[in-house]
């Protein structure tokens, strides 16, 4: 932003004199306050008569320091929230260039100046302006100030509480009662409401602005990806028409909001429509399973209309269950998510195929999912490879199993001893050694391993009076392989009740 042009005219005098102590540091090194004003970082207050015909602007002190300080200067101007001008007899017109630097302005007071008009859209860059006090101001009646009348009627910027006047030749009338022919807000009409178009297609969007004075019309296309051209035409007396042509419409414009603006000296109207661009699905990402809270095959699919997703494994469609299900979220025309597995086993290893389809097409992609090595089927002692699988879990599970088994065995021995000692009745007996129950029959089942209890390795084939109730199950040991570790206790040395 070029600050220098604003201060080009009568700035030199200010610069010489007014180096106020209000300014500190680089503030004073860059900008000066107008001579007849007093300034603070947030306010410009001018209550002394001045005959200059310009709006008070902070003056750039050292024009040579260009570019590098622009951000600081912008911030200096943005920090000004209040401007007060009084008795400035030369100030007749307020223009948008006067106001556009003060982007943070909230209050503007103009008293006893000879202001005759304020440009329409003068405050286009002052979105925070919420109070304007215009006292002792007599405008020139005319279409140019109709917008102020509309602001007053709408109660914008506090104008509805003020007495505003305009001068029509010799007579001074209330602004409220000013009546100007052919001076109204423009109307706008667009051929479409929302628009749906196939990717690669072409489309023409027609927008008419009408009114008196004849408005300017334009489409805002900032950020639009598709190639676009504008073509305008005026239909006398009062229609300005503009065609926006989009060529080879891009999928990146799906959801884009196009706005047509119609503007004349009285004000601006606009209308917006949303573009929907249809395109067949693409699978942007399909990753091998990763272990998080659950195990997840991550995917990103894009398409519009939003595609439906199906998964296949070993030639069969995967039906959602509590063990395998899909979680996903929509973001514009993207679908991102996970095919989630709960405690997958070697049984789940294999290719997973994602099929994404919408009305425009279908696409597939396959990823190999490797979860676990198949367990050993042989009944022998566990091999080291088996144990390498997940060391921490193994050792933890093993210590629990061994502990529980040991406890069970000791308990049994105690019971056995007690029984032998106190109950010599011959009907009571324990048949043979401890039964061994193999876990292998469970281990091949992929889905039934969650939370299934495992029968204690030391379960006792006891008679009806046996006291071992409660010992028959060891809770929640997930991996069937742990089970084998638990078998240690069936070795005669540790577990034989006859010991
Ligand atoms: C201008 O404002 C200052 C501070 O509010 C005040 O002291 C001074 O008297 C005013 N000058 C005039 C001419 O009103
Ligand atoms: C603008 O105001 C903010 C806070 O109100 C302050 O931190 C910043 O230093 C000011 N900038 C300048 C250039 O005065
Ligand atoms: C404004 O100017 C008029 C004459 O030009 C003067 O009488 C009046 O006191 C001034 N008011 C202020 C506040 O400076
Ligand atoms: C406006 O100026 C007139 C003279 O031109 C003066 O009498 C009046 O007091 C001024 N009003 C204000 C608010 O400065
Ligand atoms: C724009 O105005 C022309 C001329 O009156 C008319 O033919 C056309 O249908 C209008 N288009 C829209 C979108 O209103
Ligand atoms: C246009 O699309 C937007 C967003 O999808 C929706 O809110 C609006 O209601 C639609 N307008 C019409 C006229 O269909
Ligand atoms: C805009 O397009 C319509 C049809 O799509 C056409 O009738 C009209 O002449 C075009 N207007 C301009 C200004 O190109
Ligand atoms: C349309 O755009 C796509 C990319 O968005 C490009 O690959 C293709 O060549 C374009 N087609 C034409 C006819 O320009
Ligand atoms: C459209 O008009 C509304 C209300 O007047 C306004 O808030 C919005 O900023 C305008 N949009 C554009 C792109 O100018
Ligand atoms: C998985 O698919 C690949 C090709 O995509 C194929 O080479 C491989 O044999 C398949 N594996 C299985 C277990 O089906
Ligand atoms: C006169 C002056 O300082 N000119 C500088 C303006 O900024 C550019 C880059 O920011 C410098 O290269 C000029 O020397």
């Amino acid at each position: 932003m070029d600050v220098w042009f604003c201060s080009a005219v009568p700035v030199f005098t200010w610069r010489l004199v007014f180096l106020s102590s209000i300014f500190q540091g680089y503030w004073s090194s860059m900008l000066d306050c107008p001579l007849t004003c007093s300034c603070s970082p947030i306010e410009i207050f001018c209550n002394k008569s001045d005959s200059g015909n310009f709006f008070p602007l902070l003056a750039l002190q050292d024009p040579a320091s260009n570019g590098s300080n622009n951000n600081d200067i912008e911030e200096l101007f943005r920090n000004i929230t209040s401007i007060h001008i009084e008795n400035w007899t030369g100030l007749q017109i307020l223009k948008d260039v006067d106001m556009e630097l003060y982007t943070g302005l909230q209050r503007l007071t103009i008293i006893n100046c000879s202001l005759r008009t304020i440009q329409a859209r003068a405050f286009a860059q002052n979105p925070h302006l919420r109070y304007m006090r215009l006292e002792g101001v007599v405008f020139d009646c005319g279409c140019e100030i109709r917008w102020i009348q509309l602001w007053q009627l709408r109660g914008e910027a506090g104008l509805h509480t003020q007495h505003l006047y305009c001068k029509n030749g010799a007579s001074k009338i209330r602004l409220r009662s000013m009546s100007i022919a052919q001076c109204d807000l423009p109307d706008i009409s667009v051929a479409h409401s929302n628009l749906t178009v196939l990717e690669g297609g072409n489309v023409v969007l027609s927008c008419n602005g009408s009114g008196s004075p004849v408005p300017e019309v334009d489409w805002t296309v900032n950020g639009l990806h598709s190639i676009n051209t504008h073509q305008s035409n005026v239909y006398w007396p009062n229609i300005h028409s503009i065609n926006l042509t989009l060529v080879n419409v891009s999928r990146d414009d799906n959801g884009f909001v196009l706005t047509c603006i119609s503007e004349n000296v009285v004000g601006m109207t606009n209308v917006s429509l949303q573009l929907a661009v249809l395109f067949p699905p693409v699978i942007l990402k399909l990753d091998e399973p990763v272990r998080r809270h659950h195990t997840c095959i991550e995917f990103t699919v894009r398409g519009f209309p939003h595609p439906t997703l199906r998964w296949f494994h070993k030639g069969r469609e995967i039906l959602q269950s509590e063990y395998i299900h899909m979680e996903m979220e929509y973001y514009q025309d993207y679908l991102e998510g996970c095919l989630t597995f709960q405690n997958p086993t070697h049984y789940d290893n294999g290719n997973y195929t994602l099929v994404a389809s919408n009305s425009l097409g279908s696409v597939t992609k396959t990823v190999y999912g490797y979860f676990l090595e198949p367990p050993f089927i042989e009944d022998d002692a566990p091999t080291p490879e088996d144990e390498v699988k997940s060391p921490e879990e193994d050792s933890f599970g093993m210590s629990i199993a061994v502990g529980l088994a040991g406890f069970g065995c000791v308990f049994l021995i105690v019971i056995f001893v007690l029984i032998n000692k106190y109950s010599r009745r011959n009907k009571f007996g324990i048949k043979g050694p401890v039964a061994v129950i193999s876990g292998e029959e469970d281990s091949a089942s992929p889905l039934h391993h969650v939370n299934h209890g495992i029968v204690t390795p030391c379960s006792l084939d006891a008679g009806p009076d046996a006291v071992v109730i409660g010992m028959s199950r060891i809770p929640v040991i997930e991996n069937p392989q742990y089970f084998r570790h638990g078998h240690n206790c069936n070795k005669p040395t540790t577990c034989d009740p006859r010991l």
Side-chain angles (χ1 to χ4, degrees), residues 86-87 89 111-113 133 135-136:
E86 206 173 312
N87 260 11
T89 51
I111 298 177
N112 256 11
C113 299
R133 185 167 155 218
E135 211 174 291

Side-chain angles (χ1 to χ4, degrees), residues 261-295:
I261 291 172
S262 170
E263 180 176 9
N264 65 12
V265 68
V266 182
M268 183 263 272
T269 39
N270 67 45
V271 65
S272 295
L273 61 84
Q274 200 174 29
L275 203 58
V277 182
L278 307 181
F279 58 99
V282 283
I283 297 176
L284 299 172
K285 173 166 138 181
L286 183 64
D287 286 350
E288 286 178 3
V290 289
R291 179 127 197 219
R292 299 207 187 119
H293 179 56
H294 293 300
T295 303

